[in-house]
Amino acid sequence: MANRLTENPDWNVLLLEAGGNPTVTTEVPGLAAAVVRTDLDWQYQTEPDPSNCQGSANKSCYWPRGKMLGGSSSINAMLYVRGNPKDFDDWENMGNPGWSYKDMLPYFQKSEDLRSETVLKNRQVFRYHNKGGYLKIESFKRNINFFTDLFSKGFHELSYQSFSDVNAEHHEGFFLLQGTLENARRCSTAKAFLRDFQKRPNLKISTNSLVLKVLINDKNTAYGVEFSKKGKILRTLATKEVILSAGSINSPQLLMLSGIGPRRHLNKLGIKVVQNSKVGYNLQDHTIMRGFIVTLDIHTSTPDPIESMFQFLINSRGEFSGPNFLSIAGFIKTSQAKSHNIQFYFTSQAANSSTILQRGLRTFGYDEVIVRSLVKINANNFVISITPSLVQPKSRGRILLKSTNPFDHPLIYPRYFSEEQDIVENLEAIEFANKLVNTDALKRFNARVQRIDIPECNVFQFQSEPYWRCVIKYMSVTVYHPVGTCRMGPRGDRDSVVDPQLRVIGISSLRVVDGSVMPKITSGNTNAPIIAVAEKASDLIKNHWGFC
């Protein structure tokens, strides 16, 4: 947004960022998890709920979110997945003209500088892709050819083809994924859109500046924001618009702190209601079920980290050039779905990688019972996690204010699996994973599913439906894609928070531009579509003010 709006030299843009600059660590794909639980992370926790996160410490899921320039694009796994064209057609059909796939495709292309040689081999490539944009898209350079071939053969045995581009005409099958990468380093939105443009005279960037509320006058017009920097409370005024791009947690929090939100909730906290609106509702997220653990008779050793870092720094290759096996993925459709609704991730651990495994599991919030069980399985076994993610969940959660203090984290109620259909589709995904394990490709290596020692689940027969229902409740956690809490929709719809121009309904000169505006979550990783939303929003704003 800051980049595109300052293309007009007559407009002055102030970009307020609660965090600081990305560190060198964020550049390394293989260290993506290393910045979690640091000052670069908002470190959110969900509220306990008996239907989910039962295997997490304090029965609360950990939600990392990027707190730096580039936001979560500076902390994520860099996967560039646009979703299914049907996702955007559904947005339009929900009362949002101009948001169909044919409308959004040019905005995906506008950002993109495709450098993946694998994808560029396709003669039809530029029907879907582009070169020359700011956002660099490459193939990951970590060598996982053996496992790519292994799972590709397994999917083929189950009648699924393999493809090199998930963002073209095929959306089901086994895929090599590309990432937001520049010369094998992370290409966050900060690097892509700010690095070479931050010296524009009409762009001011203020880091470590936490916005406290939007200033709204008695005519319901936003005229500025109040923010905290270096212990001082400051105000800045806007001559045209205030734009919130704080994400699906912070944007609804800011709106509610400013008096825009559910009347009953705001009254309870003593906040003057400026606009009664369903802010914070419609929370959607992708979960991953980390409980499908497979051991293989494969003998590998943990690479020397010093040698691996040398290979990355000098040759842009090796273990640190990719986030584990996340550069390969499977997409399938369950029996009741109209399009793909399950995404499979794959991760691995060499035998006896206890230190690395414990650190990772604790970082992402699992309790000690789960940690000990998985470490025990890994002690003498090469371990693969086949991890299904439900990409079109029916369950909806909510964000609420904890207090009127802007420094307090809001209350997060994801309500995972509050809809039975989400459990049923996860069970079907587990059934597919079992079929994959029993393909000839994996049986060559004596693939076998392992039981995690969870006392509450041990009472059920292994691999039975009650067993997996229990494991789903204990082992499912966020895949870090919260969206939808400032829902886009027509002005006559009482569930809408912003209109199709992304203007906050009932308030002049205020827009929201981030993943919170999605009326329905996309069928895959959310970074790419959120960038496309910002590209389109920039044009909406330019057209509104007569600058094209």
Side-chain angles (χ1 to χ4, degrees):
M1 291 294 296
N3 178 305
R4 297 302 187 189
L5 296 182
T6 53
E7 290 174 343
N8 180 353
D10 296 327
W11 289 355
N12 294 313
V13 172
L14 171 62
L15 172 59
L16 296 171
E17 166 57 52
N21 291 299
T23 62
V24 173
T25 304
T26 66
E27 294 274 299
V28 185
L31 294 179
V35 295
V36 172
R37 296 187 186 273
T38 71
D39 290 342
L40 303 177
D41 174 12
W42 282 94
Q43 303 187 45
Y44 292 115
Q45 295 281 161
T46 66
E47 297 302 302
D49 183 329
S51 70
N52 59 68
C53 303
Q54 294 298 290
S56 298
N58 302 315
K59 309 210 180 289
S60 164
C61 271
Y62 185 72
W63 274 24
R65 295 279 86 196
K67 189 179 182 183
M68 68 195 102
L69 288 173
S72 293
S73 76
S74 296
I75 200 176
N76 67 1
M78 295 148 283
L79 304 182
Y80 185 76
V81 179
R82 296 174 180 175
N84 193 301
K86 183 180 179 297
D87 299 334
F88 306 99
D89 292 341
D90 285 347
W91 290 7
E92 182 166 74
N93 293 334
M94 295 169 76
N96 298 292
W99 290 90
S100 70
Y101 178 68
K102 66 178 175 59
D103 296 306
M104 292 299 290
L105 179 58
Y107 289 109
F108 284 110
Q109 293 170 313
K110 182 178 181 179
S111 292
E112 186 181 30
D113 183 11
L114 181 66
R115 298 177 169 193
S116 168
E117 294 179 4
T118 305
V119 177
L120 287 168
K121 290 177 182 178
N122 184 346
R123 287 182 295 179
Q124 300 291 318
V125 63
F126 292 113
R127 286 179 57 193
Y128 303 98
H129 295 284
N130 184 39
K131 290 183 70 69
Y134 298 138
L135 187 69
K136 316 303 180 189
I137 307 299
E138 299 177 353
S139 295
F140 290 90
K141 294 183 179 179
R142 181 177 181 181
N143 182 3
I144 57 170
N145 291 340
F146 171 81
F147 295 99
T148 301
D149 185 60
L150 177 68
F151 286 111
S152 177
K153 287 178 178 176
F155 269 75
H156 183 74
E157 285 186 51
L158 299 176
S159 301
Y160 283 89
Q161 296 184 57
S162 297
F163 304 99
S164 60
D165 186 5
V166 75
N167 299 308
E169 66 269 34
H170 300 290
H171 303 282
E172 291 177 39
F174 180 80
F175 292 87
L176 293 175
L177 302 183
Q178 290 72 50
T180 49
L181 300 162
E182 183 176 12
N183 298 323
R185 275 69 171 166
R186 178 189 296 274
C187 186
S188 67
T189 54
K191 181 184 286 188
F193 294 96
L194 285 181
R195 179 185 59 185
D196 297 332
F197 304 95
Q198 56 190 335
K199 292 185 179 179
R200 282 178 178 168
N202 58 337
L203 173 61
K204 168 67 176 177
I205 301 171
S206 180
T207 55
N208 301 303
S209 302
L210 179 70
V211 176
L212 308 178
K213 67 177 180 179
V214 180
L215 302 173
I216 302 170
N217 64 23
D218 56 8
K219 295 181 180 179
N220 278 16
T221 299
Y223 64 92
V225 298
E226 190 171 272
F227 66 100
S228 172
K229 186 178 176 76
K230 295 181 178 179
K232 296 181 179 179
I233 305 299
L234 304 171
R235 286 188 168 192
T236 183
L237 306 183
T239 56
K240 284 186 167 60
E241 295 190 14
V242 174
I243 302 167
L244 296 184
S245 295
S248 294
I249 302 171
N250 297 74
S251 283
Q253 180 186 22
L254 275 172
L255 288 178
M256 289 188 282
L257 288 170
S258 308
I260 304 165
R263 184 182 303 278
R264 183 179 299 178
H265 178 52
L266 299 188
N267 283 341
K268 186 177 180 180
L269 291 170
I271 297 173
K272 179 184 176 182
V273 179
V274 177
Q275 175 67 29
N276 183 27
S277 174
K278 296 191 79 169
V279 172
Y281 286 80
N282 195 46
L283 173 62
Q284 299 161 64
D285 190 19
H286 294 148
T287 56
I288 45 175
M289 206 293 287
R290 294 179 181 265
F292 198 91
I293 305 300
V294 179
T295 54
L296 301 175
D297 289 347
I298 295 174
H299 302 288
T300 62
S301 57
T302 303
D304 177 64
I306 296 175
E307 173 62 23
S308 295
M309 185 56 72
F310 175 83
Q311 288 298 325
F312 174 76
L313 294 173
I314 302 302
N315 300 316
S316 298
R317 296 189 178 277
E319 293 293 305
F320 287 111
S321 61
N324 207 280
F325 289 2
L326 297 182
S327 56
I328 55 176
F331 291 84
I332 68 165
K333 178 172 64 176
T334 58
S335 57
Q336 299 300 313
K338 295 180 180 179
S339 58
H340 79 264
N341 63 329
I342 300 292
Q343 178 175 352
F344 283 98
Y345 297 88
F346 305 93
T347 57
S348 75
Q349 291 292 341
N352 197 28
S353 300
S354 57
T355 301
I356 297 171
L357 184 58
Q358 288 179 65
R359 185 186 304 129
L361 292 169
R362 288 170 181 153
T363 295
F364 291 107
Y366 283 103
D367 68 26
E368 287 304 308
V369 173
I370 302 293
V371 173
R372 287 194 298 270
S373 178
L374 292 173
V375 168
K376 184 178 180 180
I377 294 170
N378 175 242
N380 299 302
N381 297 291
F382 182 93
V383 170
I384 292 279
S385 175
I386 301 177
T387 311
S389 173
L390 180 60
V391 296
Q392 280 298 315
K394 303 294 187 296
S395 301
R396 299 290 184 268
R398 190 175 172 189
I399 302 285
L400 292 167
L401 292 179
K402 182 178 182 180
S403 73
T404 58
N405 184 347
F407 293 91
D408 282 346
H409 286 177
L411 304 173
I412 302 171
Y413 296 91
R415 300 195 72 232
Y416 299 138
F417 311 117
S418 55
E419 294 286 340
E420 169 69 9
Q421 185 63 27
D422 292 349
I423 299 173
V424 170
E425 290 181 341
N426 264 281
L427 290 171
E428 198 167 331
I430 290 166
E431 183 181 348
F432 178 90
N434 268 309
K435 291 177 181 177
L436 183 62
V437 168
N438 284 292
T439 57
D440 291 340
L442 273 73
K443 279 301 180 186
R444 278 185 59 206
F445 299 96
N446 195 23
R448 52 215 180 273
V449 184
Q450 299 292 329
R451 180 173 196 145
I452 302 174
D453 185 14
I454 304 172
E456 291 79 0
C457 303
N458 289 345
V459 298
F460 302 112
Q461 181 182 353
F462 182 52
Q463 291 274 34
S464 67
E465 181 178 317
Y467 170 79
W468 284 119
R469 281 179 174 269
C470 182
V471 172
I472 287 169
K473 184 168 67 172
Y474 273 81
M475 294 301 297
S476 294
V477 293
T478 179
V479 73
Y480 325 123
H481 298 160
V483 302
T485 49
C486 299
R487 181 184 184 272
M488 172 174 61
R491 285 181 171 259
D493 187 338
R494 64 181 183 178
D495 292 329
S496 302
V497 175
V498 300
D499 68 12
Q501 301 287 308
L502 306 187
R503 299 171 296 200
V504 175
I505 295 169
I507 307 294
S508 301
S509 303
L510 178 62
R511 293 186 209 241
V512 179
V513 182
D514 55 36
S516 71
V517 305
M518 291 185 181
K520 181 181 175 188
I521 197 166
T522 52
S523 301
N525 307 75
T526 51
N527 188 41
I530 289 171
I531 295 170
V533 165
E535 288 281 23
K536 180 176 175 63
S538 301
D539 276 1
L540 292 175
I541 294 167
K542 289 176 180 178
N543 291 335
H544 175 82
W545 294 101
F547 177 76
C548 300

